[in-house]
Amino acid sequence: MIHFNSETRTFNLLLRSSYYAFQVDADGRLIHLGWGPRPQDASGEDQISGKPVFEPYNIPWSFITQFRPDEVLTFGEITSFYPTLKVSFPGLPVPLKEGESPHLPLRDLRLRYAGYEIVTGAKPGLAPAHGLPVRELSPRETLRVRLQDPLQSLYVTLCYRLDPEHDIIERWCELENAGQQPVSFDICCFASLHLPNGTNELTSVSGTWAREFTPQRQRLSQGVQMMESRNLQTGHNSNPFFMLNRPGQAWEESGVVYFGALAYSGAWQIALEQLPTLDIRLHAGYHPFDFQLDLAPGERHVTPALVIGVSLQGWGGASRRLHDFVRRHVLPCPPQDAQWRPVLYNSWEATYFNLSFENQVELARKAASIGVELFCVDDGWFGARRSDTAGLGDWVVSPDVFPGGLELLVDEVHRLGMQFGLWVEPEMVNPDSDLYRLHPDWVLHFPGRPRTTARNQLILDFGRTEVVEHIFSLLDALVERYSIAFFKWDMNRLATEPGSVAGKAIWRRHVEGVYRIMDRLRQQHPGLDIQTCSGGGGRIDLGMFGRTDQAWVSDNTDAFDRVRIQEGFSLAYPACCMEAWVTHEKNHITQRVTPLNLRFDVAMRGALGIGSSLNELSQAELAEYASFIQFYKMIRPVVQAGELYRLERLEEFDASVIEYVLPDGSEAVYSEVLRDHQVGVFRPAALLKGLQSRLVYMVLDRSNTEVYRATGYELMVQGIPPAMLDYPGYSRTLYLRAVQ
Ligand code: DGJ
């Protein structure tokens, strides 16, 4: 619900258990009044009335006014803290006094209230344009508050789209140059947030290739701390989401936690600022490094969204709100959508670049025999791509690999009852490729400078519309010709020489190009699924999930490492889009040998995939794979649609115990993994959540054998008895079903 008190000019946004409020002050500025939990018994009538005249910050005393919590913080007036927007007016026609110099470009911005409206159907910038519905179709209210600079005709509209059920608000800005002169933005955040004093404990993730999503918790110090990506993609080193709470006031399942995530897949920045007053601000949006956003007279720009929310149930509650929000409001949901993510086979770790028709057919037959539903051929199927040194960009089936054409494999995969998928890396080119030989100017580079390759590749210039069009046409033709149901869309290098026909705007134009191709492909082929991958988990965010179905979270498939990576992923993103493979006994990156049940127990926490070299496995091993996959299909609805509880986190006992439970508490999955164990330490039993106390639950193992039976009450107060013998690598997955 959105309320406006016209007397005090106060806005109250009321959600299920939280509120957000701000007020127009006497000078027409928007002043933040508060954001946080509402009392449980509050009704729609209970609102903040605001001040008749907004007093505290009208004191003409700069010590106070410099900390004034404007909803949109602009460079200029009194404050020198970090702004939401910083603008240059290169040729503002200010009325000058005789002999006065214009001091151009004018760089301060003053925004004053110019009205509001409440609408349904408003969308942030770069919202998916593929036309596929999301799961939840009911309209959502958006508050649009219009502000104007009194000197220059620049309008800024702050947008707040409500998802009351999850206590989530999507925030973005619409910028409109209604004047006669161009405007450039030096800093452009999608929104700034004001958090209560002392809310300075930050939960986020950091990492690198093969170590993505490592959870970390730290205290903010005074000043500004950045989380960022200065790349064309979201990045491996950090991910654009955050959780903030007062230290010692929130835990996994209790306390107030503020959270947020960006719906954008390019160069981003989240600036976390602790003021000298200990008030906390957060500014999130485009990375201002090497940034360019110019609006010519009459032009408009709508920023993507910052999704924010409040949890009253700790970090776990924040994750569950985000998960459900993603499942219902973000992920595309084609009308003919199969309900669950299919069990996928991917050939990468089995055959790398040594593809042949024969080895792929053999893999496909074995994959089908163990219950795989989607068969994906990874890198190496096209052009001269027999290694990573050549062929990238030439999206034509290689006759060396498939002398009879790819159709033979596709037909066999279909005959076996599976869908067919292909790996692509559309934004890249090897210099040793037909595409590059034909169009050497189509890559990002600075003319006259050497072109530096990474993984032997260069990046196509998506600032050129003809390049975007060319890539779309090739991919479109592939889907058409080979009945492709799934693309694994990869991106394997960072932009270090971003010279483009689009100038510095390339950072945004690249993302727009990728989104455009994905959206058009999905529009043309509503049955097509896409997996986002960027050398593992380098491009995962809410913008990507608007047009992809799942993510490849890391190239590191070692179950010991993976359990940590997946825990970090689970902070923000749901299990249904977390592709997780079981691979060989000896891991290709870490060289660690792990037992099969551990590999499955970890991979079954997400959308299960298989990446093992099936052609090297015995019949007995294949049969074991088949039995795990059969078990996974039974628990899949709970894993993929259930609510996640992290019952024990790695930071506690080096054990990860998680539970997925259906919202009605009728079924649950209990998954336990021990990374390390100290002799003589008795881990407490993990207490289950979300069950019904009165019901009796049967607990089944993979062989469908009942291993335990207890009431929901017992399971929630005593848990499942821990294993008698703990050891590193111990794991189990149990399925709980209410029987009475
Ligand atoms: C990086 C991906 O993350 C891998 O899974 C694999 O697809 C390779 N690229 C192929 O080159």
Side-chain angles (χ1 to χ4, degrees), residues 4 8-11 20-33 54 57 68-74 77 84 110-116 143-148 156-160 171 192 194:
F4 179 62
T8 61
R9 300 204 294 179
T10 305
F11 291 92
Y20 190 105
F22 53 91
Q23 183 177 22
V24 184
D25 80 357
D27 291 330
R29 300 184 195 95
L30 283 194
I31 310 294
H32 181 81
L33 293 180
F54 195 82
Y57 298 97
R68 192 183 59 220
D70 295 17
E71 270 296 283
V72 55
L73 294 146
T74 56
E77 290 197 60
T84 319
R110 290 157 202 252
L111 294 172
R112 296 295 181 264
Y113 180 68
Y116 81 96
L143 170 65
R144 301 178 75 246
V145 184
R146 193 164 155 92
L147 305 165
Q148 185 186 5
V156 175
T157 303
L158 303 188
C159 299
Y160 303 77
R171 304 242 347 236
S192 288
H194 299 274

Side-chain angles (χ1 to χ4, degrees), residues 348 378-379 423 455 488 490 492 533 535-536 552 555:
W348 176 239
D378 209 280
D379 201 348
W423 177 95
R455 206 195 185 204
K488 173 178 172 183
D490 205 346
N492 281 300
C533 168
W552 182 228
D555 279 352

Side-chain angles (χ1 to χ4, degrees), residues 405-427:
L406 187 64
E407 288 88 345
L408 290 183
L409 177 63
V410 176
D411 290 349
E412 180 62 3
V413 165
H414 288 162
R415 193 191 65 75
L416 291 163
M418 298 183 292
Q419 294 180 301
F420 183 75
L422 269 188
W423 177 95
V424 286
E425 192 178 0
E427 297 143 83

Side-chain angles (χ1 to χ4, degrees), residues 67 80-82 199-200 202 218-227 244 270-283:
F67 302 116
S80 61
F81 293 107
Y82 203 90
T199 310
N200 64 9
L202 169 69
Q218 63 191 238
R219 290 275 184 97
L220 301 176
S221 50
Q222 187 174 318
V224 179
Q225 177 177 328
M226 302 294 188
M227 291 163 58
L244 283 162
I270 298 178
L272 299 132
E273 185 175 28
Q274 178 155 226
L275 301 181
T277 55
L278 300 192
D279 282 340
I280 302 291
R281 291 178 180 175
L282 184 145
H283 318 271

Side-chain angles (χ1 to χ4, degrees), residues 426-484:
E427 297 143 83
M428 300 287 164
V429 64
N430 284 128
D432 184 1
S433 65
D434 293 342
L435 180 65
Y436 188 73
R437 281 182 282 274
L438 199 60
H439 296 290
D441 51 337
W442 273 15
V443 297
L444 295 181
H445 68 285
F446 292 115
R449 298 280 195 182
R451 300 173 181 199
T452 311
T453 55
R455 206 195 185 204
N456 309 303
Q457 61 199 54
L458 296 166
I459 305 177
L460 289 172
D461 183 359
F462 273 26
R464 291 176 179 268
T465 41
E466 67 272 29
V467 172
V468 174
E469 198 50 45
H470 172 81
I471 295 297
F472 167 75
S473 310
L474 288 176
L475 297 180
D476 183 51
L478 281 174
V479 180
E480 204 55 67
R481 176 155 180 196
Y482 300 108
S483 309
I484 287 165

Side-chain angles (χ1 to χ4, degrees), residues 281-449:
R281 291 178 180 175
L282 184 145
H283 318 271
Y286 298 126
H287 202 304
F289 173 78
D290 202 33
F291 177 67
Q292 183 182 348
L293 173 60
D294 298 333
L295 293 187
E299 270 187 351
R300 223 171 141 251
H301 179 83
V302 183
T303 74
L306 169 67
V307 175
I308 60 166
V310 182
S311 157
L312 279 59
Q313 293 83 28
W315 304 307
S319 299
R320 285 189 294 279
R321 279 170 169 77
L322 272 171
H323 295 173
D324 208 37
F325 175 78
V326 172
R327 283 188 300 238
R328 288 159 73 161
H329 295 292
V330 179
L331 289 167
C333 178
Q336 78 288 13
D337 191 24
Q339 249 189 319
W340 314 118
R341 298 303 309 150
V343 177
L344 172 150
Y345 181 80
N346 180 287
S347 67
W348 176 239
E349 289 193 36
T351 44
Y352 296 105
F353 290 106
N354 304 318
L355 298 186
S356 68
F357 170 71
E358 289 74 20
N359 65 24
Q360 297 306 297
V361 165
E362 193 185 345
L363 284 173
R365 290 186 182 143
K366 292 197 165 143
S369 77
I370 60 174
V372 165
E373 297 157 319
L374 166 61
F375 183 83
C376 177
V377 175
D378 209 280
D379 201 348
W381 56 267
F382 53 92
R385 186 78 169 172
R386 302 294 78 73
S387 72
D388 64 10
T389 58
L392 206 52
D394 300 337
W395 302 109
V396 179
V397 173
S398 161
D400 297 339
V401 181
F402 298 103
L406 187 64
E407 288 88 345
L408 290 183
L409 177 63
V410 176
D411 290 349
E412 180 62 3
V413 165
H414 288 162
R415 193 191 65 75
L416 291 163
M418 298 183 292
Q419 294 180 301
F420 183 75
L422 269 188
W423 177 95
V424 286
E425 192 178 0
E427 297 143 83
M428 300 287 164
V429 64
N430 284 128
D432 184 1
S433 65
D434 293 342
L435 180 65
Y436 188 73
R437 281 182 282 274
L438 199 60
H439 296 290
D441 51 337
W442 273 15
V443 297
L444 295 181
H445 68 285
F446 292 115
R449 298 280 195 182

